[in-house]
Amino acid sequence: AQGCAAVRDTNLKGISAVAAPVRDYTGRVCAVLTALGATGGFHPSIDGAIARAVRDEATAISALLGFVG
């Protein structure tokens, strides 16, 4: 899936994350929405439920900022 990135035990052992960009009305990335969790109870797959939720929320925030895309 496009529009997000995921890490598992990359920067900190035991911590995983999924992130998606938030865009402003010009299409520039102005923020990043990230979900973090303990690797044992957090599934960071970019096709998983957490990634879908992060992407959906980032898309909704971007729309509020005027991004159409």
Side-chain angles (χ1 to χ4, degrees):
Q2 292 184 333
C4 73
V7 294
R8 180 183 200 97
D9 297 328
T10 302
N11 296 322
L12 280 172
K13 186 172 173 68
I15 301 294
S16 294
V18 176
V22 174
R23 298 181 183 276
D24 66 14
Y25 68 97
T26 67
R28 286 187 6 191
V29 175
C30 61
V32 176
L33 185 63
T34 305
L36 297 167
T39 297
F42 185 96
H43 187 38
S45 167
I46 61 171
D47 295 320
I50 294 170
R52 269 193 306 278
V54 170
R55 274 194 308 274
D56 289 350
E57 291 302 319
T59 298
I61 295 166
S62 295
L64 290 172
L65 295 174
F67 178 67
V68 179

